Amino acid sequence: MRSSHATILGVLVVTLNLISTGASAAPTSAEEFLEAARAAWRGETFQATVTLEVTRGGETTVYGLELWAQGETRALIRIFLPKEETGSGYLLADDELWYYAPAIGRPLALPPIALGEGLFGSGLDLDDVLRGTSADSYEVAFAPEQPLEGVRLVLTPLPTAAIVYGHLEILLRPGLALQEVVYHDQRGRVVKTARVTEFLELPDRVVPRTIVVEEASGDRTVQTFERLVIDDPLDPALFTLESLLRR
Amino acid sequence: MVRMAWRNLWRHKARTVLMMGIVLFGSLIVLLMWGITAGVFDSMIRTHVDLDYGAIKVFPAGYRDDPAPGRGFSGEALDEVLAVAARIGGATSAPRLVAHGLLRSAYGATGVELRGVDPEQEPAVTRLEEALVDGRFLAGAGEALLGVRAARALDVKVGERVVVLVQGATSTESRGVVVVGLLATGLASLDKRAVIISLADARTLVGVDGATEVALALPRGTRANPVAVELDAALGPGHEVLTFAEGNPLVTGMIEGNTGEMVITMVLLALLAGFGVANTVLFSVIERTREFGVMTALGMGSRRLALLVVMESVLVSALGFAAASVGGYFLIQYLARTGIPVGHLAGIGSELGIPPRIYASVEGWYWAASLVVVLATGAVAAWYPARRAAKLEPVEAIREI
């Protein structure tokens, strides 16, 4: 059973990558499509209320999180669901990662490597696509079969890239919003699929509202943004230990 | 006296064979237990030394208290240690850089010890190449060796890429490495919780230019302690030189503890056999009351009579032990060749380096110890019957039917 730490840290990583900056110039090559899709999900600040429904081994747990993020290196998560987790949270401040739970009564420093662990613990592995999908890590090509609408790309990791998958198939819908990522292992089997099932149309951009990750093992994670505020200035004091300890 | 005792023994063949049988089976159990236990420990130490630790390791002083890669040997210090090690006759050495991190595949991640080794020097210290069950040994950068259990848990095959994540000098570092070989060493520390990559890759990931330890191998049969003392003196202060026994107090403690248990078991089995012998000798004395009475009447002293009884018991014990030794020797030789599979206990055993098949071992000292215990037991067991025989009154004894 994967830990709730890993699950929630997964949300943090995904969120840091879902921050949007709006539209980009019309791409032509596969690399440009990928780069444009990545750029379209990046921004400066992000506030959200997130519901996370995690099904592991047939058991489902619902987490409720308040989330603030600035850039890729500062984030604060406060947990309000389930009841026993209420008041606990995580703080990412540059190279430092902290965890706090009222029962412990003091913040615990986690090794930054735990952030990486969250990626695979949660099933929300969009980091591979959104943070690590630069042309430095992959060979990017158009899929042989293209959908009627949007673009399908195939990403094959370079031999020494820190990518565990054999290849990824990415479906971008018109407007370059990420619609679906299919992760294949190195023997061609599907490991998991991350699908955006619901979008939130904001005045200047489109962001995912619900992301469903289905793993080959049958485990499932559904992440829903209940509330989203993008690019509103955030108080730097939010990303401090004092803020993490505040209830 | 010995000839008389010997003759007496074979006057009642059935009784003698019965006593011999008691001693034989007790001794056989003890010898087999010693043989198998010594074989377990031999195999365990050999596995650790040959496949993992080496005979001796050199660490920077204080490193083991806080084993962070940054506290290892610098490149310059490492060269010095390797140069000194090269002057030790017959020894071969190899540097290693050990760090802890995560190993990731498409199907999961596991905490591992990341071990950077020099692909050319490491085979001079450990026989990891012989433990390969698939693929080949490391040839250079971008490659990894993985234990079969980790590979199974992460669903990884030879030729597939895995990702190693470690805490670097300033941030978390990661890179993909292709698994070129799978190891089955019988050690959980290697089969389940380690990934072996090139020293160059490990240095790049961790951000250091040296190593955290230097492992040394010695020619078979060389005692590690004197070499460790010599190496320690040659290196001077600032280093910690540890033999396998010194570096693994858990394993050596377990061996010592088990040896103590074996001694207790041997004594208990000897007591059991002793009671059997005492019982038979006592009835033999009772049965031979008239005979002893005649012997006393003919002038045999009570002390010599007692000695005769003790001698008979010791002789029969020696015969039983000799038979057990012959049987035990062949049985242990057979088990030393074919081994005994540990079955379902293999998983637990691998945590301590006990291989999945145990090969018995023949060692002279426990054979000698067992002989002493058996003969002493034979003598002590005969004490009460001998005392009874010595106290017989000749006339009354002759009258007794």
Side-chain angles (χ1 to χ4, degrees), chain A residues 15 25 28 33 44 80 111 130 137-138 146 150 154 172 207 209-210:
Chain A
T15 305
T28 53
F33 268 99
E44 278 309 308
F80 61 85
L130 298 167
S137 304
Y138 291 94
Q146 288 296 321
V154 177
L172 303 175
V207 292
R209 181 164 189 272
T210 305

Side-chain angles (χ1 to χ4, degrees), chain B residues 1 8 22 120 148 192 239 245 260 275 280 286 311 338 341 351:
Chain B
M1 179 70 74
N8 283 343
I22 293 167
E120 287 178 6
V148 281
K192 196 176 162 188
H239 301 88
F275 278 115
T280 315
I286 293 168
M311 189 70 76
T338 58
E351 297 290 334

Side-chain angles (χ1 to χ4, degrees), chain B residues 94 161 199 334 394:
Chain B
R161 186 181 51 253
L199 187 61
Y334 173 76

Side-chain angles (χ1 to χ4, degrees), chain B residues 32-122:
Chain B
L32 274 179
M33 280 177 70
W34 273 116
I36 291 167
T37 307
V40 169
F41 294 140
D42 270 3
S43 307
M44 199 162 88
I45 292 170
R46 208 179 311 137
T47 307
H48 275 287
V49 169
D50 289 353
L51 297 175
D52 188 6
Y53 191 90
I56 297 171
K57 271 188 188 181
V58 184
F59 301 96
Y63 165 78
R64 294 198 319 141
D65 299 330
D66 178 17
R71 294 169 60 89
F73 293 116
S74 65
E76 203 176 312
L78 176 65
D79 290 342
E80 280 175 26
V81 173
L82 290 171
V84 172
R87 291 201 290 273
I88 302 284
T92 48
S93 60
R96 294 173 185 164
L97 176 56
V98 175
H100 290 89
L102 281 174
L103 180 68
R104 203 186 152 198
S105 80
Y107 292 98
T110 184
V112 287
E113 179 191 282
L114 176 80
R115 187 180 296 184
V117 302
D118 185 314
E120 287 178 6
Q121 288 178 277
E122 184 65 25

Side-chain angles (χ1 to χ4, degrees), chain B residues 109-382:
Chain B
T110 184
V112 287
E113 179 191 282
L114 176 80
R115 187 180 296 184
V117 302
D118 185 314
E120 287 178 6
Q121 288 178 277
E122 184 65 25
V125 173
T126 50
R127 292 157 59 191
L128 279 175
E129 210 162 351
E130 292 172 24
L132 282 169
V133 289
D134 196 7
R136 59 168 173 79
F137 195 70
L138 285 182
E143 297 181 348
L145 295 177
L146 198 57
V148 281
R149 290 171 69 183
R152 204 179 305 132
L154 297 176
D155 195 1
V156 174
K157 290 185 175 174
V158 168
E160 294 183 346
R161 186 181 51 253
V162 289
V163 172
V164 180
L165 292 98
V166 290
Q167 190 60 46
T170 55
S171 60
T172 303
E173 300 293 336
S174 62
R175 74 158 290 171
V177 284
V178 175
V179 176
V180 295
L182 297 182
L183 296 166
T185 63
L187 295 170
S189 56
L190 283 174
D191 294 351
K192 196 176 162 188
R193 294 188 290 271
V195 58
I196 299 172
I197 62 172
S198 74
L199 187 61
D201 278 347
R203 284 173 171 166
T204 307
L205 275 166
V206 176
V208 300
D209 63 351
T212 53
E213 65 190 43
V214 171
L216 280 87
L218 302 175
R220 195 162 286 284
T222 309
R223 289 184 60 230
N225 283 334
V227 180
V229 170
E230 182 189 345
L231 187 62
D232 196 24
L235 285 168
H239 301 88
E240 199 176 9
V241 181
L242 299 174
T243 61
F244 170 76
E246 292 163 340
N248 293 273
L250 182 69
V251 174
T252 44
M254 198 181 83
I255 291 173
E256 281 166 14
N258 212 288
T259 305
E261 281 175 28
M262 278 304 298
V263 169
I264 293 169
T265 309
M266 186 168 76
V267 170
L268 288 176
L269 278 168
L271 272 177
L272 201 65
F275 278 115
V277 170
N279 182 48
T280 315
V281 173
L282 180 62
F283 275 91
S284 150
V285 167
I286 293 168
E287 190 185 80
R288 292 156 65 197
T289 302
R290 286 187 71 185
E291 175 189 326
F292 288 145
V294 172
M295 286 167 80
T296 313
L298 288 174
M300 192 171 201
S302 58
R303 191 170 288 183
R304 281 173 62 84
L305 194 59
L307 191 62
L308 178 71
V309 173
V310 170
M311 189 70 76
E312 285 178 24
S313 176
V314 170
L315 270 179
V316 86
S317 298
L319 282 173
F321 184 80
S325 294
V326 172
Y329 179 79
F330 285 109
L331 206 50
I332 289 171
Q333 285 293 351
Y334 173 76
L335 294 176
R337 272 199 316 277
T338 58
I340 309 160
V342 296
H344 296 303
L345 293 174
I348 303 165
S350 71
E351 297 290 334
L352 292 163
I354 298 171
R357 190 171 273 272
I358 293 166
Y359 294 90
S361 166
V362 182
E363 279 182 26
W365 77 266
Y366 66 74
W367 225 273
S370 303
L371 175 63
V372 170
V373 170
V374 165
L375 295 184
T377 307
V380 171

Side-chain angles (χ1 to χ4, degrees), chain A residues 77-126:
Chain A
I77 293 178
R78 283 223 186 91
I79 303 165
F80 61 85
L81 275 178
K83 213 169 159 185
E84 56 269 25
E85 298 265 7
T86 301
S88 55
Y90 296 85
L91 171 70
L92 174 68
D94 299 316
D95 289 333
E96 293 180 357
L97 182 64
W98 295 87
Y99 170 67
Y100 172 72
I104 301 171
R106 64 184 178 84
L108 297 177
L110 300 179
I113 207 166
L115 195 61
E117 191 180 10
L119 303 179
F120 15 96
S122 66
L124 291 164
D125 206 348
L126 294 178

